[in-house]
Amino acid sequence: MEATAQEVDAAVRAAHAARGALADRAVRSAFLRTAAAGLDAARDGLIETADAETALGPVRLTGELARTGYQLRAFADIVDEGAFLDVIVNHPDDTATPPIPDLRRYKVPLGVVAVYSASNFPFAFSVAGGDTASALAAGCPVVVKAHPDHPALSELVAEVLRRAAAEHGIPEGVVGLVHGFEAGIELIRHPLVAAAGFTGSVRGGRALFDAAAARPVPIPFHGELGSLNPVLVTEAAAAERGETIGVGLAASMTLGVGQFCVKPGLVLVPSGAGGDRLVKSLTDAVSDTEAGVLLDHRMRDNFVAGVRERARLEEVDSPVTPGAGGEHTVSAGVLSVPAEKLAEEGAYDLLLEECFGPVTVVARYSSEGEAAAVLSRLPGNLTATVQLSAEEAAGEGRGPGLLAELTPLAGRVVVNAWPTGVAVAPAQHHGGPYPATTSTSTSVGGTAIERWLRPVAYQNAPAALLPKELRDENPLGLPRRFNGVLER
């Protein structure tokens, strides 16, 4: 099933040839809605195949498939609205210094987008996932590199998208699909690929990122690589509701057998009675969690080896020991360490790296300065969470300062909630400083479309030659900024 270099080339060239068929925004949005309807119609077979390949379970997969259809429809709405084109028109102004000529600016699609599927979201971050949906919405054909954990599902979903394309006169090559490690390398190097989206490991993502930058013509690479997703619990919050926080943390870190990119992997908990109650509540809840199956044996082996290596560190305790469950399962667990061990560079840096699976590290801090020292050493993250007391949440004490302290660490700052459960919404941001992502963009939410566009301005172009989107009379009724005034 491994694609050859010739097959990758054929898929990319077919996608490139389909660009013109996506030029009409009405056709594009109709295609996306038909694709969503096609996924709905094929739901039973898709979920059965997905469960056979991933063991994620029908309940989880049903919800994820619904989310995937929602994303496609949401991007169709964005295409119809047209604000993503960012139309700006400036008429000439000879009184300005320097004089302003006639300038008209909007955004155009980049071209063929390479999409690298994720293992842990076989629908929402795979063939018809957010990268594909946003790229098609931008007017960019895609070639998807299927994840090896769900190859049969990838073929089925690609076929749904191709049938939807054909219904609207779009060549089926608008969605290409290739399999295999070498195919992924060939794809990122192909001269007709204009950008790439990736969700996966730091190692794999960084290799592709470097390959994208090393091309004769470098291309944008929007990669989501890894995230620890730290949580800071204030002393006041632990005293006020430590037990509740512990239960919520257990639910978040074990959700989906800990296989979410926003799983809270490091939790700063104060010393003292409030923190003790939190840790007891957490350990009790995690102890009651059933063993679960990870997506493949490679991930299971990495998890078992990773938690074993961390637990061997001096002064690391295991209130609930994570590791191998049955032959195919893993048991959730909690590791605990004094926060001072993480405040300086050394062997304990391993605890500041993501461990994919159902485990979290609780770092007990004895002062605000100690907690701040640990936070200052963290790399970029998708999320950072703070648990505040009612008084702090009302703006008293440390509340406002803590948000400012956490903002440089992550793309989404969560207050008195948990990072798992990434809503698909216009204001969502799913990205963060490196190594969380390789760019400042989001892969979830409406603004994900911006990754696949570039601005172009026309100067002194005759009206008859201008794209319809840039004409004074605004025949398409687009939102725009016209001579400095925002029109909707």
Side-chain angles (χ1 to χ4, degrees), residues 110-377:
L110 289 175
V112 178
V113 171
V115 173
Y116 292 80
S117 294
S119 62
N120 55 339
F121 283 91
F123 290 118
F125 282 84
S126 189
V127 176
D131 285 349
T132 295
S134 58
L136 292 173
C140 296
V142 299
V143 177
V144 181
K145 189 273 182 186
H147 196 278
D149 280 353
H150 32 85
L153 177 67
S154 298
E155 290 287 347
L156 291 176
V157 173
E159 184 56 34
V160 169
L161 296 183
R162 290 167 181 155
R163 287 198 301 268
E167 282 191 36
H168 298 281
I170 301 171
E172 293 185 1
V174 73
V175 177
L177 183 69
V178 297
H179 298 263
F181 176 82
E182 291 300 328
I185 300 299
E186 291 290 335
L187 186 57
I188 200 69
R189 292 174 176 167
H190 198 289
L192 293 181
V193 168
F198 171 90
T199 301
S201 67
V202 173
R203 181 180 178 184
R206 184 55 194 257
L208 291 171
F209 175 70
D210 291 345
R215 291 167 38 125
V217 179
I219 59 172
F221 181 86
H222 300 283
E224 180 190 323
L225 311 187
S227 185
L228 193 60
N229 305 302
V231 178
L232 174 64
V233 182
T234 68
E235 185 174 2
E240 182 178 274
R241 51 190 179 87
E243 294 89 345
T244 301
I245 294 173
V247 171
L249 172 58
S252 183
M253 58 148 293
T254 61
L255 186 65
V257 200
Q259 297 175 107
F260 289 115
C261 50
V262 289
K263 178 204 75 176
L266 174 70
V267 189
L268 288 157
V269 176
S271 302
D276 291 345
R277 289 194 299 273
L278 188 158
V279 173
K280 183 179 186 306
S281 174
L282 168 66
T283 56
D284 288 348
V286 173
S287 296
D288 290 338
T289 303
E290 294 183 3
V293 179
L294 294 185
L295 289 160
D296 61 36
H297 280 284
R298 177 182 57 84
M299 291 180 188
R300 182 180 184 275
D301 292 344
N302 288 342
F303 174 75
V304 172
V307 295
R308 183 186 298 126
E309 186 178 6
R310 287 162 173 79
R312 284 175 179 165
L313 292 169
E314 189 177 352
E315 295 195 56
V316 171
D317 295 326
S318 301
V320 184
T321 302
E327 183 180 357
H328 301 292
T329 62
V330 295
S331 297
V334 177
L335 303 177
S336 180
V337 65
E340 63 180 354
K341 297 296 181 181
L342 305 179
E344 295 182 3
E345 185 177 352
Y348 292 89
D349 286 358
L350 179 62
L351 299 174
L352 302 181
E353 297 177 9
E354 180 185 18
C355 186
F356 192 73
V359 65
T360 196
V361 175
V362 173
R364 302 296 300 271
Y365 67 90
S366 58
S367 68
E368 294 177 8
E370 195 170 81
V374 176
L375 291 174
S376 72
R377 300 198 61 239

Side-chain angles (χ1 to χ4, degrees), residues 1-205:
M1 205 170 184
E2 298 264 332
T4 65
Q6 292 76 19
E7 289 170 331
V8 173
D9 178 64
V12 174
R13 292 187 182 279
H16 184 73
R19 290 173 302 151
L22 292 176
D24 188 318
R25 287 190 300 117
V27 171
R28 231 147 72 204
S29 62
F31 165 36
L32 293 171
R33 291 191 178 95
T34 300
L39 293 176
D40 290 344
R43 178 175 56 241
D44 292 346
L46 294 176
I47 290 172
E48 182 180 358
T49 302
D51 191 34
E53 291 187 318
T54 69
L56 288 173
V59 174
R60 152 75 194 273
L61 291 167
T62 298
E64 188 187 330
L65 182 57
R67 166 188 169 151
T68 304
Y70 175 82
Q71 284 183 148
L72 289 163
R73 294 183 177 98
F75 278 112
D77 291 342
I78 288 170
V79 172
D80 285 340
E81 180 195 57
F84 74 98
L85 294 170
D86 198 19
V87 176
I88 305 173
V89 175
N90 283 129
H91 284 168
D93 183 357
D94 292 336
T95 67
T97 306
I100 297 173
D102 186 275
L103 287 169
R104 296 156 191 265
R105 179 188 189 271
Y106 78 148
K107 292 179 178 176
V108 297
L110 289 175
V112 178
V113 171
V115 173
Y116 292 80
S117 294
S119 62
N120 55 339
F121 283 91
F123 290 118
F125 282 84
S126 189
V127 176
D131 285 349
T132 295
S134 58
L136 292 173
C140 296
V142 299
V143 177
V144 181
K145 189 273 182 186
H147 196 278
D149 280 353
H150 32 85
L153 177 67
S154 298
E155 290 287 347
L156 291 176
V157 173
E159 184 56 34
V160 169
L161 296 183
R162 290 167 181 155
R163 287 198 301 268
E167 282 191 36
H168 298 281
I170 301 171
E172 293 185 1
V174 73
V175 177
L177 183 69
V178 297
H179 298 263
F181 176 82
E182 291 300 328
I185 300 299
E186 291 290 335
L187 186 57
I188 200 69
R189 292 174 176 167
H190 198 289
L192 293 181
V193 168
F198 171 90
T199 301
S201 67
V202 173
R203 181 180 178 184

